Amino acid sequence: MRVHLKTDMDYQTRKIWDVIARIDGNEKDRWVVMGNHRDAWTFGAVDPNSGTTAMLEAARGFGELLKQGWKPRRSILLCSWDGEEYGLLGSTEWAEENAAELRNKAVAYLNVDVAVAGPHFGASSVPSLWKLLQAATRDIRDPKTGKTVFQQWQDRARELRPDPDLVEDAGDNNIQGTEARISALGSGSDYTPFLQHLGVPSLDMGFGGDYGVYHSAFDSFYWMSHFGDPEFVYHVTAAQLWGTIAMRLADAPSLPLNYSDYAAQVREFFNENIKVAKRRNLSGFDETAMTDAVDIFVKEAGRMEKSKEDALAELERVPAGANDRRTHAEARVRRLNDALMATERALTDSQGLRGRPWYKHQIYAPGFYTGYAALPLPDFRQALDDRNSANAKEGLERIIHALNRATDTLHQATD
Ligand SMILES: [Zn+2]
């Protein structure tokens, strides 16, 4: 069959606008950023209006708390992006325009795009946020089963899991300690400029299902109210989860960012890549230097966990009031928090990735050819796929430098 397709493209330049709301915290120079886009391909009941609904509802909750006298420790920013479907335009312009400030102030970026397309929870994030994410899902109820979101998420992953006897390597490398894995961030939504350009710890989450109407004219209120979430109960759950995670990041005295998980994940990524390299008979890169870099990253991450515990215990022991011991304890916590925030930044460099210098993060990026999908340790892995040993060596060196910078950042704070 031959089809003659006539397309009618509209290339006018139009204005887009982002809407940014800010709740000032006591530490005004520390920002927890929530983001969701507002533009849609057509009606966008799922993508992005389910996320926008959740953001508005979380905002309403914050408003109630503010009336009761709550003031977060850190500032919370709620960002409604325009132009996402045209190439993450609104978020990218805003992140680039405010790059210097975000590098200094952003504690984390929490993205929700498709909040609800069904009842099955799923998430992607940097490993430093895994524990926070899992803890929040343990405290919120899945509306359909009455179990916690966490339990339902794990149970479903177990159901779907292929028989370990049939799958090569199944189950022997699940470092997350749970059945349901939190995926790596690639691209396809507004976390990209925050994580991959600026090095802000990021996550993306939502409830999925038999969607099938993605980016089509059927992504409508009719679809949502008949199939996606007829009782709109998962919309409520999404708002609860998002708001809870934002509040914990904003209010915790000690930032809930865990670099032991990060180090373990980098080790796992590297081991997977080494298998690929061996299969392809590629060598010439410094495997030992990488293993050493990961080892000290693991060690410093562990020391950071210990320092956090000590500092928090000290803070609890010393009574509030403007005495020297209190000031000292608070300054210590602040120093550790600053380092925890800076560690993700340290995984970026000014040079960026080969052939695409805008992507500064050396651990996470979408693949050159994979569209949305993540390609962890991007330049090393791409070189292996290209069977280019020289590029593999150079790419790995940049990754090692990034890990060493992250290690130093943790080390200096815990001295
Ligand atoms: Zn979207």
Side-chain angles (χ1 to χ4, degrees), residues 37 47-48 84-85 113:
H37 72 95
D47 175 12
E84 191 265 3
E85 302 290 6
D113 183 331

Side-chain angles (χ1 to χ4, degrees), residues 93-402:
E93 286 303 319
W94 192 82
E96 287 179 349
E97 197 173 310
N98 297 285
E101 214 173 356
L102 284 162
R103 276 195 205 98
N104 287 328
K105 298 180 179 176
V107 163
Y109 176 70
L110 310 174
N111 195 68
V112 173
D113 183 331
V114 170
V116 185
H120 308 305
F121 182 70
S124 306
S125 93
V126 291
S128 48
L129 288 166
W130 286 350
K131 285 210 165 63
L132 172 68
L133 182 60
Q134 288 165 341
T137 61
R138 281 191 178 94
D139 292 335
I140 287 160
R141 218 144 275 292
D142 176 80
K144 217 150 143 188
T145 62
K147 293 186 269 193
T148 66
V149 169
F150 182 80
Q151 197 54 53
Q152 175 56 20
W153 179 27
Q154 304 310 313
D155 289 352
R156 180 169 155 83
R158 217 163 288 138
E159 273 167 36
L160 293 180
R161 199 164 149 198
D163 184 341
D165 295 336
L166 300 176
V167 182
E168 184 197 359
D169 291 340
D172 68 349
N173 57 4
N174 188 350
I175 57 148
Q176 294 187 28
T178 56
E179 304 286 334
R181 290 183 66 92
I182 299 169
S183 322
L185 288 164
S187 193
S189 196
D190 295 302
Y191 50 80
T192 278
F194 292 91
L195 176 64
Q196 289 144 7
H197 187 60
L198 297 174
V200 178
S202 299
L203 70 75
D204 184 53
M205 60 183 175
F207 290 85
D210 299 325
Y211 187 7
V213 295
Y214 182 53
H215 284 175
S216 80
F218 299 100
D219 183 347
S220 62
F221 186 79
Y222 181 91
W223 186 85
M224 184 61 85
S225 57
H226 285 74
F227 309 109
D229 186 18
E231 311 291 329
F232 290 86
V233 284
Y234 282 94
H235 284 69
V236 177
T237 311
Q240 287 171 334
L241 251 180
W242 201 5
T244 300
I245 292 171
M247 282 180 72
R248 287 182 184 177
L249 274 162
D251 278 338
S254 170
L255 280 181
L257 297 172
N258 183 301
Y259 282 93
S260 295
D261 285 341
Y262 217 125
Q265 176 68 92
V266 171
R267 192 194 294 286
E268 185 185 315
F269 287 151
F270 186 60
N271 290 342
E272 284 165 10
N273 281 358
I274 286 298
K275 281 184 202 162
V276 174
K278 296 236 157 84
R279 272 204 300 276
R280 292 176 186 170
N281 286 317
L282 291 163
S283 58
F285 49 84
D286 199 341
E287 195 176 331
T288 315
M290 177 64 176
T291 312
D292 291 348
V294 174
D295 284 344
I296 24 173
F297 189 29
V298 169
K299 208 177 114 216
E300 285 304 328
R303 285 190 55 205
M304 172 55 91
E305 291 308 307
K306 180 81 180 55
S307 298
K308 272 171 72 173
E309 273 173 38
D310 292 350
L312 275 179
E314 189 189 344
L315 199 62
E316 270 169 36
R317 270 199 314 274
V318 184
N323 60 51
D324 286 355
R325 279 171 63 216
R326 182 74 189 182
T327 315
H328 176 267
E330 278 169 1
R332 188 177 173 203
V333 170
R334 171 78 183 202
R335 193 173 69 240
L336 295 176
N337 284 344
D338 288 352
L340 287 163
M341 182 178 73
T343 302
E344 187 84 49
R345 252 45 124 230
L347 295 171
T348 65
D349 66 24
S350 54
Q351 186 185 347
L353 300 181
R354 180 177 291 274
R356 41 178 185 160
W358 186 89
Y359 286 89
K360 309 288 186 203
H361 206 289
Q362 295 297 320
I363 310 296
Y364 287 103
F368 212 94
Y369 304 109
T370 61
Y372 288 177
L375 194 73
L377 310 182
D379 272 356
F380 181 56
R381 178 54 194 260
Q382 188 59 56
L384 298 182
D385 289 346
D386 294 342
R387 293 178 157 76
N388 185 326
S389 291
N391 284 0
K393 180 176 188 296
E394 191 274 334
L396 191 62
E397 277 165 7
R398 260 184 290 119
I399 291 165
I400 291 167
H401 287 315

